Amino acid sequence: VRFANGTLRRPDSLRFSLFRHRDAAHPRKRHRRIVVSETERLSYVGHNFGSEVMRCNSLCRYFVGVLDKDSGQMEVYNAEIFNLQPLLSGGSASCPSHTSTPPARPWPRQVSQGCYWRLWLCCGRGGCALLGAGGAQGCVCLAQMDLCIEAFGTSKQKRALSSRRMNSVGSDVLGTAVSKAAASIITAKGVAALMQDVAQDDVQNISAFLPPCHEDAEGPEHVYKFEDILSPAEYEAARGPAAALAGATAEEVAKKVEERSHCTFVLDELKHLPTEERSRDHKARCLWFLDTLIKFSHLKVIKKKHPLGPECPHIISRKLMKNFTSLTYNNGSVQNLISSSMKAKITAYVIVLALHINNFHTDLTVLQNDLKLQESRVLDIAKALRLRVSKAKGPLGQEDEQQHKLGTLSLPLPVQKAPAGQRKRKKMN
């Protein structure tokens, strides 16, 4: 350690205590340390995290050698430098946090509350100050510390003190201004109009997960461009795994239907593949990628390097992990999670790809069943995509005879409307 306010006359008489973070599994917090010490006049504290951490520890490595005089051998250990700052606190009369009697032990002790440290540092004048680290609430008397900074602090400390005081005043003024502005808006617009604005914000939040929309397109095929769904490099990479679908015979398709090796939408479309080789290959690639998206949406937490197997091209796997997952921290490691918002994004891309496959109209109910979503959720995404939704009977020969919802993309695009609001509750008799 080194002391920020000078050197010690008798360094051998000091004792130090080292505290570590309780969360030993967290990749960052497990390395956090706090060093505390106490002299006859001052208490010192230093830590290796936060805005005031020393930069030298990240630029180079330090070691401590322990020499055995008998054998003449030295053991080397990893070391880290801590810059100890004096902890200033007042007497019991000026600080409300002081107690009439100090803790039982004069040395700093750890209080197990929450997931951060809390250290009691004895003032030596009949009271104690509580230092909170890592976001814990501290009750150190800042007023006297500010006076010391004004009198003896460096120019950097004085600038920081001035900035903190200006920010505290500014926050009070800002809070008052925000309260007045909120009151005036509520008075002017009313609660009903504000609820409508919130509903409009929900629509905008959904649109953030949609493919790029070109409203000024001349044809439906250019509203959601195919290149935004599957880039040329990804389209070329899909040639290999899609070859099995393109070359499937009627018997092989029937076997796939029996085994349910693909989703219902893909199995239905495999029965109607075009005979022309180029069109057949194009549709097979689209069907393979759509089936891959649906299978990927059924996963929750991605733990494997190749979640869809090694047969999936690397460029496709990277696209799925980058565009359709969100990072989360769990059990000491970072994982890729398919959240509800990411599943909504996958659903939007599946619907757009199905529109390109089926000449810009598709059965939303079949896709809903394949994606295992509620009908209202799929219809909300379809309306956000500016589709016209209609009703029709299910395909003949299927067990499902419910009313199917069909989505059609046509120009001009319908005007996007905000939801009407919450549904009225039924009265209970």
Side-chain angles (χ1 to χ4, degrees), residues 133-194:
Q137 293 180 354
C139 58
V140 178
C141 296
L142 295 179
Q144 295 187 3
M145 186 179 295
D146 292 345
L147 293 176
C148 291
I149 292 176
E150 289 179 352
F152 309 106
T154 62
S155 58
K156 182 178 180 180
Q157 292 173 335
K158 292 179 180 179
R159 287 196 303 268
L161 174 62
S162 177
S163 176
R164 178 164 58 83
R165 287 177 173 175
M166 291 179 63
N167 290 337
S168 62
V169 175
S171 62
D172 296 338
V173 176
L174 180 62
T176 305
V178 169
S179 300
K180 292 182 179 179
S184 62
I185 291 175
I186 294 175
T187 304
K189 299 189 68 173
V191 179
L194 292 176

Side-chain angles (χ1 to χ4, degrees), residues 214-220 223 386-388 408-415:
H214 305 276
E215 299 184 2
D216 55 348
E218 298 180 356
V223 176
R386 315 285 285 275
L387 303 185
R388 289 181 170 85
T408 304
L409 180 63
S410 60
L411 296 177
L413 296 176
V415 179

Side-chain angles (χ1 to χ4, degrees), residues 56-215:
C56 60
N57 289 319
S58 60
L59 298 176
C60 55
R61 294 182 63 183
Y62 295 89
F63 301 93
V64 171
V66 181
L67 178 64
D68 188 348
K69 296 181 179 180
D70 297 333
S71 62
Q73 295 181 351
M74 177 180 290
E75 296 183 359
V76 181
Y77 299 91
N78 289 317
E80 189 174 2
I81 295 181
F82 284 81
N83 190 34
L84 297 188
Q85 299 280 350
L87 179 66
L88 304 177
S89 59
S92 59
S94 60
C95 182
S97 64
H98 282 174
T99 57
S100 58
T101 57
R105 292 185 297 172
W107 201 251
R109 65 182 177 89
Q110 184 178 7
V111 181
S112 58
Q113 181 176 356
C115 60
Y116 295 94
W117 303 280
R118 283 193 173 187
L119 307 178
W120 278 99
L121 299 182
C122 187
C123 304
R125 290 189 296 273
C128 294
L130 176 63
L131 170 67
Q137 293 180 354
C139 58
V140 178
C141 296
L142 295 179
Q144 295 187 3
M145 186 179 295
D146 292 345
L147 293 176
C148 291
I149 292 176
E150 289 179 352
F152 309 106
T154 62
S155 58
K156 182 178 180 180
Q157 292 173 335
K158 292 179 180 179
R159 287 196 303 268
L161 174 62
S162 177
S163 176
R164 178 164 58 83
R165 287 177 173 175
M166 291 179 63
N167 290 337
S168 62
V169 175
S171 62
D172 296 338
V173 176
L174 180 62
T176 305
V178 169
S179 300
K180 292 182 179 179
S184 62
I185 291 175
I186 294 175
T187 304
K189 299 189 68 173
V191 179
L194 292 176
M195 293 296 293
Q196 188 72 14
D197 292 343
V198 172
Q200 182 67 30
D201 291 340
D202 293 338
V203 174
Q204 294 177 359
N205 291 335
I206 294 178
S207 63
F209 299 98
L210 303 180
C213 179
H214 305 276
E215 299 184 2

Side-chain angles (χ1 to χ4, degrees), residues 3 5 14-16 35-46 84-89 106-108 119-125 127-129 131 145:
F3 293 85
N5 60 334
L14 286 182
R15 294 175 57 197
F16 298 86
V35 175
V36 294
S37 181
E38 186 178 18
T39 65
E40 297 178 355
R41 302 177 61 184
L42 287 176
S43 298
Y44 293 89
V45 60
L84 297 188
Q85 299 280 350
L87 179 66
L88 304 177
S89 59
W107 201 251
L119 307 178
W120 278 99
L121 299 182
C122 187
C123 304
R125 290 189 296 273
C128 294
L131 170 67
M145 186 179 295

Side-chain angles (χ1 to χ4, degrees), residues 1 19 21 49 62 96 106 139 144 155 171 173 206 289 320 396 403 425:
V1 301
F19 297 87
H21 203 281
F49 61 93
Y62 295 89
C139 58
Q144 295 187 3
S155 58
S171 62
V173 176
I206 294 178
F289 184 64
L320 298 177
L396 297 177
Q403 287 284 341
R425 296 181 179 179

Side-chain angles (χ1 to χ4, degrees), residues 277-344:
E277 183 178 357
R278 185 174 180 180
S279 301
R280 187 182 184 91
D281 176 66
H282 173 74
K283 188 171 183 179
R285 297 191 202 190
C286 296
L287 290 176
W288 175 84
F289 184 64
L290 185 142
D291 187 65
T292 301
L293 280 176
I294 292 179
K295 289 180 179 178
F296 190 74
S297 69
H298 294 162
L299 304 177
K300 293 183 178 180
V301 179
I302 312 299
K303 299 181 180 180
K304 301 179 181 179
K305 185 176 181 180
H306 302 284
L308 297 177
E311 63 275 4
C312 182
H314 175 69
I315 188 173
I316 302 294
S317 297
R318 186 175 61 183
K319 176 188 180 71
L320 298 177
M321 298 291 288
K322 181 180 179 181
N323 297 338
F324 300 105
T325 63
S326 55
L327 294 178
T328 182
Y329 174 78
N330 187 23
N331 294 330
S333 62
V334 178
Q335 297 176 345
N336 293 84
L337 173 70
I338 301 181
S339 59
S340 58
S341 59
M342 288 294 106
K343 192 159 187 177

Side-chain angles (χ1 to χ4, degrees), residues 331-367:
N331 294 330
S333 62
V334 178
Q335 297 176 345
N336 293 84
L337 173 70
I338 301 181
S339 59
S340 58
S341 59
M342 288 294 106
K343 192 159 187 177
K345 184 176 181 179
I346 295 175
T347 303
Y349 277 72
V350 166
I351 293 175
V352 170
L353 186 56
L355 291 171
H356 279 275
I357 294 173
N358 277 338
N359 198 18
F360 302 100
H361 65 274
T362 186
D363 193 329
L364 298 175
T365 304
V366 174
L367 295 177

